[in-house]
Amino acid sequence: MNHTQALREAIPPYTDGMRIGLLGGSFNPPHQAHRDITLFAMKRLGLDRVWWLVTPGNPLKDRAPHGLAQRMEAARHLAHHPRIDVSCLESVIGTRYTLDTIEFLRRRCAAVRFVWIMGADNLAQFHRWKGWRTIADLVPMAVIDRPPDSFGALSSPAAQALMQHRIPERDAGQLAAMEPPAWMFLTGMKSPLSSTTLRNPDGSWKT
């Protein structure tokens, strides 16, 4: 498969004007909370689709994830929804950082309304991401409350720096159409699961 064909297959179907959520991660392993977050965000934000961007690896984590093909297959099996697309885009375009991926998608799919979706645990360390302020300037962001990370997330350096751009939850249905920086902390979705708790000490997946 040449690069052009691989890229065509890595970008899920879309049409101009669509409201698409982006949920990135290593999915090592994918778990029910990924799906719960996705469906919760889809409903609250009025999204047409959500793309799961399965990364080759996370620069902020030391442990190497399982093979990409294995994680992609597991993610597709778990997603099992007509409006959730699983993509290995980052491995095709050779990006390691969310910033580079979002910049690529903004160029390639300029008429799509993207929203970056992340859990509260990721907001807590968002200030460590490459170009996090630029990410906030590029796409609206929806942060899904995941107790017990709520306090740490909302008191984190990134949350405090972006506090003036926080949008009230009552406007959730408008977030995708808002000009960034704009972000929202969505409450009401309770799930204690994480990929970390579903891995054995040696990194293998619990069954």
Side-chain angles (χ1 to χ4, degrees):
M1 183 185 303
N2 61 39
H3 180 75
T4 301
Q5 183 179 354
L7 182 58
R8 189 179 300 117
E9 293 187 4
I11 298 178
Y14 69 90
T15 57
D16 290 352
M18 267 190 172
R19 299 150 65 105
I20 296 177
L22 302 173
L23 182 67
S26 57
F27 292 85
N28 184 41
H31 52 75
Q32 187 61 38
H34 288 129
R35 195 174 191 275
D36 292 344
I37 284 174
T38 298
L39 297 179
F40 179 76
M42 194 181 291
K43 180 179 180 180
R44 291 288 300 275
L45 302 175
L47 302 176
D48 297 302
R49 308 190 72 84
V50 173
W51 295 356
W52 286 4
L53 303 177
V54 183
T55 67
N58 186 332
L60 294 180
K61 295 182 179 179
D62 295 330
R63 185 183 296 278
H66 283 245
L68 179 61
Q70 180 181 359
R71 290 180 285 122
M72 287 283 293
E73 180 181 0
R76 288 192 179 107
H77 178 75
L78 174 70
H80 194 61
H81 192 283
R83 291 162 58 197
I84 301 175
D85 299 293
V86 180
S87 171
C88 60
L89 177 66
E90 291 190 341
S91 69
V92 174
I93 63 178
T95 58
R96 294 184 64 232
Y97 298 98
T98 297
L99 171 62
D100 300 326
T101 304
I102 290 175
E103 287 181 333
F104 175 88
L105 286 172
R106 285 288 305 272
R107 292 192 304 268
R108 183 86 180 193
C109 316
V112 171
R113 295 282 189 173
F114 287 115
V115 176
W116 184 259
I117 301 168
M118 61 179 162
D121 53 328
N122 280 318
L123 178 61
Q125 60 171 348
F126 188 49
H127 62 285
R128 298 176 57 203
W129 293 23
K130 175 188 175 185
W132 63 274
R133 289 180 180 273
T134 304
I135 293 173
D137 287 337
L138 287 173
V139 287
M141 301 187 303
V143 181
I144 313 300
D145 184 21
R146 296 188 65 193
D149 299 303
S150 312
F151 178 78
L154 291 174
S155 61
S156 67
Q160 292 300 305
L162 298 171
M163 192 57 68
Q164 63 179 316
H165 304 295
R166 183 179 174 184
I167 307 299
E169 284 192 70
R170 64 176 179 271
D171 296 327
Q174 305 303 316
L175 182 65
M178 292 182 178
E179 288 298 316
W183 68 282
M184 184 173 294
F185 195 78
L186 291 175
T187 59
M189 209 284 309
K190 310 299 183 185
S191 177
L193 285 176
S194 72
S195 293
T196 301
T197 61
L198 295 177
R199 287 196 300 267
N200 294 310
D202 63 359
S204 61
W205 294 352
K206 295 177 181 177
T207 57

